[in-house]
Amino acid sequence: MPSRARPESPLESFSCTSERHSASGQVARKTAKTDRPRPDAHVWYADGDIVIIAQETVFRVHKSVVARHSKALECMFQPISWGGQADLTNTFDGLPTVRVTDTAYDFKHFLLVVYDGFPRDKDPHTVVDFGVFAAWLRIGHRYRVPSFVIEGLRGFRSIFPMDLDTWDKHRFDGKFLHPRVVFDNTNAIEAVNAIRLAGKVHLLPGALYMCAQLRPSTLLAGTTRADGTPEKLGAADLLLCFEMKERLRKAEARIAVQWAAQDHVESRCKNFGDHCDRTRHELLKEACRNIHNNLRGDPLHGGVITRLHEVDDGWQLCSHCHDAMTWEVRGLRRALWNKLPVYAGVEADIRNWGKSTQGY
Ligand SMILES: [Zn+2]
């Protein structure tokens, strides 16, 4: 069993000034002599035989344990003279070093799973932060580790499902609330970038919808990852978000007008139409009273359509009219949901939109 222990003299022996290429083809950042890489407090095995450096963090691990998960990493662990990236000259504690271009946060969450397994396997109730799912997805994609891609996507699917029922199940007033997944709406920017990187376009409609709900100032300035890495949308995705917002605003207004224009009286109405029809118009008036707020381009939460969905709250409708109206509103929301791949520009690339998929 590998043993974890703090190093005795970790810093003095390290100096790396060379420039190398990572598995992804990116150029590794040149490390200045003043950089002081620090051993990670958790991923440091005293009997490890290689040192991996990500940003300013150093991980001491076992080549054979890590390489078992990824052929790409196995190749990187070969000495430079053999075509790999293990530097036998600039050692750390006498061990060969490999510098990766990933963030320390991402690589640490990869290594933690390499040694300890996925949290869900040990305890199905473990709460996982979105940033960890994103790290698994990025690392899994870069080093071609299918299990990490699958687990990362499992978390993403919980947040950005393909079906409206799952979307509704974990949202309250536009906020994502899940017993085992922590996600803030501003994480949607990082999500879009990770989804683009991994090429999982079926997650884009939901992620772009969430981005479209952020303030333009937030979209333009970007956000930061859990480890402080800045995240911004690319110009094309930024434009897509603004266009999507515009289309959502228009769709919301169009649907409200369509709903109002239907002079529909439920044939089985217990009040013979009269009272229920009046209530229906009152309901629409109420939804339109604060039109600025209710037509804010967020028709799935809190807009006119959702207000109409709140028909339960004290509105005096007979049970038949109530059921008919609930179905009607549900149909309007579903029709809008079905349009999201079009708004996200990926309708040609997605099959089975609307189908329930298993998340976290
Ligand atoms: Zn009625």
Side-chain angles (χ1 to χ4, degrees):
M1 187 70 184
S3 58
R4 282 175 176 150
R6 294 300 300 248
E8 289 167 12
S9 56
L11 302 177
E12 291 77 1
S13 58
F14 179 75
S15 101
C16 175
T17 53
S18 63
E19 195 169 75
R20 299 189 294 272
H21 291 266
S22 76
S24 66
Q26 285 180 289
V27 179
R29 189 174 56 80
K30 197 176 264 186
T31 304
K33 282 184 178 172
T34 50
D35 285 353
R36 295 179 63 82
R38 291 185 305 275
D40 185 76
H42 298 102
V43 189
W44 186 274
Y45 292 93
D47 58 346
D49 55 1
I50 196 152
V51 159
I52 299 173
I53 305 161
Q55 294 177 304
E56 312 312 327
T57 304
V58 187
F59 306 100
R60 181 170 178 168
V61 294
H62 306 85
K63 272 191 283 191
S64 59
V65 174
V66 180
R68 204 173 53 193
H69 290 263
S70 162
K71 188 76 185 165
L73 283 168
E74 187 183 355
C75 294
M76 286 172 69
F77 292 161
Q78 298 293 322
I80 292 172
S81 55
W82 294 7
Q85 294 185 23
D87 193 335
L88 307 180
T89 312
N90 295 301
T91 59
F92 191 106
D93 264 12
L95 295 175
T97 55
V98 170
R99 181 172 277 281
V100 293
T101 54
D102 313 282
T103 66
Y105 179 90
D106 280 10
F107 214 81
K108 177 173 183 167
H109 281 284
F110 166 67
L111 291 173
L112 285 174
V113 174
V114 163
Y115 280 96
D116 299 334
F118 287 108
R120 197 169 59 97
D121 294 338
K122 286 186 288 186
D123 177 4
H125 303 295
T126 306
V127 177
V128 180
D129 195 273
F130 163 78
V132 176
F133 288 115
W136 290 341
L137 184 58
R138 283 189 291 262
I139 293 282
H141 175 74
R142 171 170 290 186
Y143 297 107
R144 301 180 191 90
V145 198
S147 58
F148 279 78
V149 173
I150 289 168
E151 199 67 5
L153 287 179
R154 204 189 296 274
F156 273 61
R157 278 202 301 269
S158 296
I159 306 165
F160 313 114
M162 292 208 298
D163 66 303
L164 182 57
D165 290 339
T166 306
W167 178 276
D168 283 341
K169 191 174 166 187
H170 298 302
R171 272 176 179 79
F172 180 74
D173 203 19
K175 290 191 174 65
F176 180 79
L177 298 172
H178 190 289
R180 295 179 307 283
V181 180
V182 178
F183 172 82
D184 182 86
N185 288 352
T186 56
N187 294 142
I189 292 176
E190 180 182 352
V192 167
N193 289 340
I195 291 166
R196 289 283 189 204
L197 178 79
K200 305 297 178 186
V201 293
H202 63 286
L203 299 163
L204 271 180
L208 284 170
Y209 183 95
M210 292 314 299
C211 279
Q213 305 314 320
L214 299 175
R215 291 169 185 273
S217 55
T218 306
L219 281 175
L220 288 168
T223 54
T224 52
R225 292 188 200 168
D227 60 4
T229 306
E231 281 277 355
K232 274 187 181 185
L233 289 180
D237 279 329
L238 207 51
L239 182 62
L240 207 51
C241 279
F242 291 133
E243 286 175 352
M244 190 179 205
K245 185 72 171 179
E246 202 50 38
R247 295 176 90 164
L248 288 169
R249 275 190 208 279
K250 285 180 183 167
E252 200 171 15
R254 190 174 59 242
I255 288 169
V257 170
Q258 274 173 0
W259 190 84
Q262 284 176 6
D263 208 8
H264 170 77
V265 176
E266 171 62 28
S267 57
R268 295 171 299 162
C269 179
K270 290 177 184 172
N271 296 326
F272 306 105
D274 232 19
H275 182 68
C276 287
D277 200 35
R278 266 204 310 278
T279 304
R280 181 188 171 90
H281 283 97
E282 282 300 316
L283 194 60
L284 184 69
K285 258 200 290 186
E286 182 63 29
C288 294
R289 201 176 301 280
N290 190 356
I291 197 77
H292 181 70
N293 262 345
N294 288 337
L295 288 180
R296 62 187 185 192
D298 185 9
L300 294 175
H301 328 103
V304 164
I305 306 170
T306 312
R307 282 282 126 74
L308 298 175
H309 199 46
E310 292 165 359
V311 68
D312 284 336
D313 301 345
W315 292 96
Q316 293 184 350
L317 286 163
C318 78
S319 58
H320 290 313
C321 285
H322 172 273
D323 291 350
M325 203 176 290
T326 304
W327 269 108
E328 225 170 88
V329 172
R330 194 173 297 175
L332 292 174
R333 292 183 84 237
R334 204 165 291 282
L336 187 117
W337 178 262
N338 291 339
K339 284 277 184 196
L340 291 187
V342 180
Y343 295 172
V346 291
E347 75 276 19
D349 307 313
I350 301 183
R351 282 181 297 174
N352 302 323
W353 180 253
K355 186 184 167 194
S356 161
T357 46
Q358 198 187 352
Y360 209 68

